[in-house]
Amino acid sequence: MRLRLAGAVLLSAAAYYVYLPLPSGVSEPWKLMLLDALFRSFMQASDVAHTLGVCHRVHLLNRIVSWVEEIEARSCTAVHVADSTLGGVPTRVFQPKGGKQLKRGVIYFHGGGWVLGTNTALAFNPASKYYYHDALAASRAFLSAQVLERYSIDPERVCVSGDSAGGNLAAAVAQELSSDDSLTAKFKVQALIYPVLQALDFYTPSYQQNRAVPILYRPVMARFWLQYLGADMSLEPLLLANNHSSLDQPAISGSTRSKLDWTALLPAERKKHFRPVVKETGSPGVMGKVPQLMDVRAAPLLAEQGVLGRTPKAYVMTCEFDVLRDDGLMYVRRLQSAGVAVTSDHYEDGFHGCMVFAYLPMMSSVGQRSMNNYIHWLDQNL
């Protein structure tokens, strides 16, 4: 009897930890709850290690995530898989076997808040350079005649792509290289999967609506930004209050604010009942401490119209239950206004990171649909 009682108590505690109230429209919510419980456990373990002085929370979290997700390079009968480098950046190459025709090529930057995953295992340093520079170096190498020839890639059929923070890198790289006339090969298309594109407004409708929806919570996104930019982590509450983008910040012009004015850039069905949160007075000096918040290499949504107009045809995936939804939708609108052909692929039952649910053990309907539609778009447009 005592064993059964103890088991019931443990089961109840586990269910309490895993269960999280979610919006009714989320696809297969229990699978998202399980993933969220796992990720929360990782985050909490990393925070404890950091507090005890064992190691930096990002180092431990990155080790855990890499241990769970990273697998060795394995080839199969159809594809040769190998680890290599591009521009000095560690890269995994997937190369179809056989065939004499030139192939299409995609360079893909994975997500993880710029701090999780194999690309950050190199050395996390709060004062380090943008990973943008690594992404740019890898992309330049990818577009070089030597690499294109080595892998039999058609120079007129290449794509830059990425998800979440990787989508941020892909968008920034697309902007930079589309304006570089010294390149003999350029990207034909860009494909951005729920990208993060700005850090001046943490009160867009999607940030307000989805602040408590896993797996990307609003405070976690602010923390990721500060870690990426090498800024003081104590600034997190100021970012979450929009104190850093208050009207008394002289560094932020009216022109800059218009580039992320969601009241003008979002369709009515996304604005809903939400209202802008713009402080008259905020925290003086924040922008001086973190000037990178205004750097288009970190925040591609802030790019000038002329720069956007030179970027390639775009695919932008967004999810209803994602704090980053409006970053992507505003970018769609700005690209279209600049004359760029854009496919906006929105999932009403989707959530941040849903495309990883395309395969077992956490396969879901929205995961399969999003992955299939992404691949279909590439197949039709690249």
Side-chain angles (χ1 to χ4, degrees):
M1 177 63 74
R2 290 180 179 177
L3 187 58
R4 290 181 181 178
L5 180 60
V9 170
L10 289 173
L11 185 61
S12 298
Y16 178 79
Y17 184 75
V18 170
Y19 177 75
L20 189 72
L22 294 176
S24 59
V26 172
S27 175
E28 302 178 57
W30 275 104
K31 293 180 180 179
L32 179 56
M33 288 182 206
L34 288 169
L35 179 64
D36 175 65
L38 184 65
F39 189 64
R40 273 188 287 125
S41 299
F42 294 165
M43 294 281 285
Q44 290 163 0
S46 299
D47 287 342
V48 170
H50 187 91
T51 301
L52 295 176
V54 176
C55 65
H56 195 287
R57 60 170 54 88
V58 171
H59 281 148
L60 179 58
L61 185 58
N62 189 50
R63 284 181 178 274
I64 296 172
V65 170
S66 296
W67 177 75
V68 172
E69 294 189 346
E70 189 175 343
I71 60 174
E72 63 181 11
R74 299 177 190 169
S75 300
C76 64
T77 55
V79 181
H80 176 71
V81 183
D83 290 329
S84 184
T85 60
L86 278 176
V89 179
T91 308
R92 178 157 291 182
V93 179
F94 299 81
Q95 185 180 16
K97 296 179 180 178
K100 296 182 178 179
Q101 291 185 334
L102 292 178
K103 302 172 178 65
R104 295 172 286 184
V106 178
I107 185 168
Y108 191 95
F109 303 113
H110 69 74
W114 303 284
V115 295
L116 303 179
T118 51
N119 63 349
T120 57
L122 301 174
F124 174 76
N125 180 344
S128 66
K129 64 182 180 180
Y130 292 155
Y131 286 114
Y132 160 84
H133 295 295
D134 288 338
L136 186 63
S139 297
R140 287 189 182 280
F142 179 68
L143 293 173
S144 69
Q146 297 90 335
V147 170
L148 294 175
E149 182 179 357
R150 181 192 313 160
Y151 295 111
S152 301
I153 298 172
D154 187 339
E156 296 185 359
R157 303 180 75 184
V158 286
C159 166
V160 61
S161 184
D163 66 284
S164 194
N168 167 283
L169 297 173
V173 164
Q175 290 180 10
E176 175 68 22
L177 297 186
S178 64
S179 298
D180 187 346
D181 293 331
S182 68
L183 295 175
T184 55
K186 291 192 177 184
F187 291 115
K188 180 181 180 182
V189 296
Q190 56 182 320
L192 315 177
I193 312 301
Y194 26 79
V196 49
L197 299 168
Q198 61 86 30
L200 292 183
D201 189 358
F202 283 90
Y203 277 95
T204 62
S206 60
Y207 265 115
Q208 295 186 54
Q209 172 183 295
N210 302 309
R211 61 193 307 154
V213 177
I215 57 174
L216 186 59
Y217 298 97
R218 189 167 164 269
V220 172
M221 192 64 246
R223 198 172 309 152
F224 280 159
W225 268 110
L226 292 171
Q227 289 170 337
Y228 176 45
L229 301 178
D232 186 344
M233 299 304 293
S234 68
L235 296 175
E236 180 186 324
L238 303 183
L239 265 63
L240 292 174
N242 271 3
N243 277 14
H244 64 306
S245 55
S246 55
L247 294 177
D248 63 340
Q249 296 282 354
I252 309 177
S253 66
S255 174
T256 296
R257 294 183 189 278
S258 70
K259 293 167 185 171
L260 48 92
D261 178 9
W262 59 261
T263 64
L265 294 171
L266 292 180
E269 64 268 23
R270 305 302 166 202
K271 290 185 281 190
K272 300 180 180 177
H273 61 280
F274 297 106
R275 296 289 181 269
V277 175
V278 182
K279 301 293 185 66
E280 290 286 338
T281 58
S283 303
V286 174
M287 297 305 298
K289 294 178 182 177
V290 199
Q292 303 97 322
L293 292 168
M294 295 282 291
D295 192 329
V296 295
R297 296 174 298 176
L301 184 60
L302 303 183
E304 297 293 337
Q305 199 79 342
V307 172
L308 294 179
R310 289 191 288 272
T311 62
K313 178 189 289 190
Y315 169 92
V316 182
M317 181 189 296
T318 52
C319 296
E320 181 61 23
F321 302 108
D322 178 8
V323 292
L324 301 180
R325 180 198 70 193
D326 296 342
D327 283 23
L329 292 177
M330 286 191 285
Y331 202 55
V332 167
R333 178 70 179 275
R334 292 210 62 218
L335 286 171
Q336 290 172 333
S337 297
V340 177
V342 185
T343 297
S344 180
D345 192 13
H346 183 74
Y347 292 86
E348 294 291 349
D349 59 344
F351 47 86
H352 191 79
C354 68
M355 205 164 75
V356 302
F357 283 63
Y359 305 104
L360 293 172
M362 300 292 281
M363 184 184 293
S364 75
S365 169
V366 70
Q368 290 178 301
R369 281 183 279 120
S370 59
M371 177 65 78
N372 291 339
N373 289 341
Y374 165 67
I375 293 174
H376 178 74
W377 186 89
L378 286 175
D379 190 43
Q380 295 296 309
N381 291 275
L382 183 58

